[in-house]
Amino acid sequence: MVDVDGRVVYANGTAERLYGPASGDLVGAPLLDRLFTESEQVALSAVVGQVREGRPWQGRLDVRHGDGVVHQAGVSCSPLWRDDTVVGLLWVLDD
C-alpha cells in the first residue's frame, strides 16, 4: 500500500518473501524505484496518474526482486478512497 506520493506505507510478509528486503525496509521507500525497472517506471507514471483519478489498472510487468533479479509478475493497482478522495494506492503483485 502506498500513499498518493508513491511511498510505501504498508508491506506484508509476502512482499518481504518475494521482493527480498524486509517489509520494514520497504516502508517509507518509493515503490516504483524499489520494485520496478527503469523502463517499467516510465510506463507506470501514466498508470499511477490513472489510478490517482480513481481508475484501477492491471497488467504484467518486469519486477525487481530484492536480490536484483528481474522477473515478470501480474500487477494490479487500485485506488484507496476516503470521503470521495483517493488517499493511496493498493498494489498487488502476483509472482
Side-chain angles (χ1 to χ4, degrees):
M1 187 179 326
V2 301
D3 62 19
V4 292
D5 296 322
R7 297 212 173 268
V8 177
V9 295
Y10 173 77
N12 65 20
T14 301
E16 178 180 337
R17 182 178 58 78
L18 290 175
Y19 302 107
S23 60
D25 293 340
L26 288 173
V27 173
L31 179 76
L32 297 185
D33 293 347
R34 288 295 292 270
L35 296 185
F36 297 102
T37 64
E38 287 183 26
S39 61
E40 296 292 16
Q41 289 176 35
V42 172
L44 281 171
S45 63
V47 168
V48 168
Q50 169 185 317
V51 177
R52 283 182 182 153
E53 293 174 355
R55 299 181 319 231
W57 177 89
Q58 65 180 1
R60 293 199 60 78
L61 298 171
D62 291 330
V63 178
R64 186 182 314 113
H65 194 276
D67 62 6
V69 173
V70 175
H71 62 277
Q72 279 262 313
V75 179
S76 63
C77 184
S78 299
L80 296 172
W81 296 90
R82 181 180 300 141
D83 300 327
D84 298 327
T85 302
V86 175
V87 295
L89 308 176
L90 179 63
W91 291 84
V92 177
L93 287 74
D94 182 10
D95 198 16

